[in-house]
Every structure is written in structure tokens, then in C-alpha cells.
Amino acid sequence: MLLTFEVIAEALRERISSGGLNPGDALPTQAVLMAEFGASSLSVQKAMALLKQDGYAISRPGKGAFVAHPHVAGDSGDGEAGKTPVGGTSARVAALERALTETLDQLTALLARVEALEAAGTERGC
């Protein structure tokens, strides 16, 4: 059984996927969602956080939450794009793993250069 915030998030995902809400459209306000689902403020906030985390929504401070633009995974090039937005948790984890690997490579190269400079300094008697 889904928790209230998961029900709200799933309902909004369905509206987005079906075209009921389009990229750039404002998402319903917290008050509207609370009334529609008979939910608490916290449940609505958790649902919105989940939508943002999964790449379905973005926040604009002072303006509200909006449907994210259609950056979608699985675009096959035949006009039928996948329905999973890029920018979700797995996409962020993959990007962080790539950045970490690049950083480790740079640190390894830097360490090798430092060791080479130290060895050269020792050979000169410095």
C-alpha cells in the first residue's frame, strides 16, 4: 500500500506523462493538493520533493513548482521518447561517480608529478 505522499506524487507523474500537465506548467499549489487528496502539508511537501528528486518538477523560488522540461531518457530517435525524466537520483549518482573517477585520476596524476619533483630535488641534493 502506498503512503499518501507516494499517491500524490504518482498522480502528478501520471498527469505529466499523459499530457494533462505540460513542461513549464505550474503544478497545483500545496493548498490545492491538500484539499484534493485530504493530505497534510507534510505529505504534500514530501510528494513535491519526490517529484523534484525524480526530475519531474523544478522549483522557482517565490513562484512555485513547475513541470520540468522534457529532458527524457530513452529517446530512441523515432519521436517516441521514454517517460523517465533524466535528472533523477540514478542520473545524479552516475554523474557523481563519473566526476569522482575523473577527480581520482587527476589526483593520481598530481601525486605522480609531486613524487617526480621530490625525487628530482633529492637527486640534486636539495
Side-chain angles (χ1 to χ4, degrees), residues 38 65 88 93 105 117 120:
V93 168
D105 290 345
L117 288 171

Side-chain angles (χ1 to χ4, degrees), residues 89-99:
T89 302
S90 26
R92 286 194 297 266
V93 168
L96 288 171
E97 287 174 342
R98 284 191 302 274

Side-chain angles (χ1 to χ4, degrees), residues 12 26-37 44 48 63-65:
L12 291 172
L27 289 168
T29 65
Q30 182 171 323
V32 167
L33 292 172
M34 287 171 61
E36 180 179 341
F37 291 94
V44 171
M48 295 306 290
K63 298 198 186 261

Side-chain angles (χ1 to χ4, degrees), residues 41-113:
S41 171
L42 181 59
S43 290
V44 171
Q45 289 172 12
K46 287 173 77 174
M48 295 306 290
L50 189 58
L51 289 172
K52 291 172 193 171
Q53 174 185 330
D54 292 343
Y56 283 89
I58 57 169
S59 286
R60 294 189 185 137
K63 298 198 186 261
F66 297 83
V67 177
H69 285 278
H71 302 291
V72 291
D75 189 349
S76 59
D78 61 4
E80 185 64 38
K83 295 191 183 212
T84 306
V86 171
T89 302
S90 26
R92 286 194 297 266
V93 168
L96 288 171
E97 287 174 342
R98 284 191 302 274
L100 180 59
T101 299
E102 291 173 11
T103 301
L104 288 174
D105 290 345
Q106 291 171 351
L107 286 172
T108 301
L110 182 59
L111 178 60
R113 290 188 356 207

